Amino acid sequence: MPDKTIDVIIPVYRPGKELRELLIRLTKQTVKPSKILLMNTEKEFFDENLIEGIEDITVVHIRKKDFDHGGTRHIAAEMADGDFLLFMTQDAMPQDAFLVENLVKPFADGQVCASYARQLPAKDCNTIERYTRKFNYGQESRIKTSEDLPELGIKTYFCSNVCAMYRRSVYEELGGFERRTIFNEDMIFAGKLVQSGRAIAYCADAKVIHSHNYTCIQQFRRNFDLGVSQAEHPEIFSGVPSEGEGIRMVKKTAAYLLEQKKIYLIPKLVLLSGCKFVGYRLGKGYKKLPKWLIDVCTMNKEYWR
């Protein structure tokens, strides 16, 4: 779709040299973005040398207390004028020069209004997280619609702003991302897309390197916030519970560890999975929790202040 323009939006916080590498790789894409918007949290932590020599880039500085996963991205979207909006995170590294080209291809189908990339593990990724990448981001591309809900369940709404593109006209039509959300703004909006009769494309040929080696505490807090986001949006998530998919991933990961003769990692898998489940369930029931306990559980403390 060479006649269409694409704006890239990246929230950043205390960026390092990996951001410059990401920006350079974006400028070398076969389909080049027309504009890059960096939504930077706290001006004093931004090194202007990171963007030296890069054209068509704008940096917007905001205060940490004003950052919101959905709201900040939406502010950037309102500043953009491209036909498509490509949202990325500062730690998502394009694997090759075809990322943008492969993400925009599915939009030739007018029903497709969002596409998202395959996330590959980084070199330092641990064994369990490496399999999680494989489980969530397979080798086969797929178009997802409401007809897939009986088969895919919650995964029908799966879409990650680590690297995801949206048709701007429909983004605006549906009101964009939630202005105030603790987390999960991408899936909340993807749910609206599916419920409105649109489609989401998973693009296995569009690849970014992105993974985390979260500790048990970090997994607990991340899943607490995930549970909160789902509890706050029953219009999206009430009919598609997540627990079944989580159990399936644990079983598949355990089988993989056995196959790889790494049975010694199964206790770690059980502990990580338990932390995820407990965090998620507490998050779903956050309205019953005292404020001090919420502050202990959450990964996004600013959201509660």
Side-chain angles (χ1 to χ4, degrees), residues 94-114:
Q95 190 199 42
D96 54 38
F98 305 99
L99 173 68
V100 178
E101 178 182 336
N102 287 327
L103 279 173
V104 80
K105 278 180 181 177
F107 290 94
D109 178 347
Q111 189 183 16
V112 172
C113 294

Side-chain angles (χ1 to χ4, degrees), residues 5-269:
T5 54
I6 300 163
D7 292 344
V8 180
I9 294 168
I10 310 174
V12 298
Y13 178 60
R14 298 194 180 192
K17 60 182 180 180
E18 77 287 341
L19 176 65
R20 181 162 181 83
E21 177 62 22
L22 163 57
L23 295 174
I24 289 171
R25 292 193 188 190
L26 284 174
T27 63
K28 294 180 178 179
Q29 292 290 301
T30 55
V31 175
K32 291 181 173 56
S34 57
K35 182 190 300 182
I36 300 175
L37 282 166
L38 300 183
M39 302 298 288
N40 176 64
T41 302
E42 303 295 3
K43 185 176 183 179
E44 62 268 31
F45 297 126
F46 189 85
D47 181 0
E48 294 290 336
N49 291 322
L50 294 173
I51 61 171
E52 184 179 355
I54 297 174
E55 298 179 353
D56 301 314
I57 189 165
T58 301
V59 183
V60 178
H61 299 290
I62 62 173
R63 295 174 296 180
K64 188 176 181 180
K65 72 181 187 67
D66 295 328
F67 175 81
D68 182 271
H69 282 277
T72 299
R73 286 177 169 89
H74 183 73
I75 290 171
E78 290 184 318
M79 298 172 63
D81 51 19
D83 298 297
F84 299 99
L85 304 174
L86 172 54
F87 291 89
M88 298 184 70
T89 55
Q90 69 189 60
D91 58 349
M93 193 66 64
Q95 190 199 42
D96 54 38
F98 305 99
L99 173 68
V100 178
E101 178 182 336
N102 287 327
L103 279 173
V104 80
K105 278 180 181 177
F107 290 94
D109 178 347
Q111 189 183 16
V112 172
C113 294
S115 67
Y116 66 100
R118 183 181 181 190
Q119 295 182 29
L120 300 175
K123 290 181 180 179
D124 66 348
C125 185
N126 66 50
T127 302
I128 293 174
E129 176 63 14
R130 190 171 291 274
Y131 184 79
T132 299
R133 297 292 99 184
K134 183 178 179 181
F135 180 86
N136 285 327
Y137 302 94
Q139 297 181 16
E140 299 295 326
S141 297
R142 179 162 187 167
I143 305 294
K144 300 181 294 184
T145 70
S146 58
E147 294 180 0
D148 294 301
L149 281 165
E151 176 194 351
L152 298 179
I154 190 72
K155 272 208 158 181
T156 309
Y157 299 156
F158 192 75
C159 182
S160 175
N161 273 348
V162 164
C163 186
M165 187 180 289
Y166 302 86
R167 194 185 299 273
R168 187 166 70 94
S169 60
V170 176
Y171 175 88
E172 293 175 346
E173 177 190 330
L174 296 181
F177 297 132
E178 294 295 313
R179 307 303 185 268
R180 185 175 182 274
T181 180
I182 191 168
F183 183 53
N184 217 24
E185 78 293 333
D186 37 24
M187 282 187 68
I188 294 168
F189 184 76
K192 292 179 182 178
L193 277 178
V194 171
Q195 290 178 1
S196 71
R198 273 78 172 212
I200 301 167
Y202 166 57
C203 305
D205 293 332
K207 303 169 186 175
V208 291
I209 300 166
H210 178 265
S211 58
H212 291 290
N213 293 318
Y214 284 134
T215 65
C216 288
I217 294 298
Q218 288 172 322
Q219 288 285 17
F220 171 88
R221 288 175 172 161
R222 187 175 188 277
N223 276 49
F224 178 85
D225 291 351
L226 175 64
V228 169
S229 74
Q230 292 192 11
E232 289 186 332
H233 293 278
E235 75 281 4
I236 303 294
F237 299 107
S238 62
V240 282
S242 302
E243 291 89 339
E245 186 65 15
I247 292 169
R248 192 170 77 89
M249 185 172 73
V250 174
K251 289 180 178 179
K252 289 276 190 178
T253 308
Y256 171 77
L257 294 176
L258 288 170
E259 178 186 316
Q260 297 296 310
K261 298 181 180 179
K262 294 185 177 181
I263 192 172
Y264 60 89
L265 288 175
I266 289 182
K268 181 181 179 181
L269 171 65

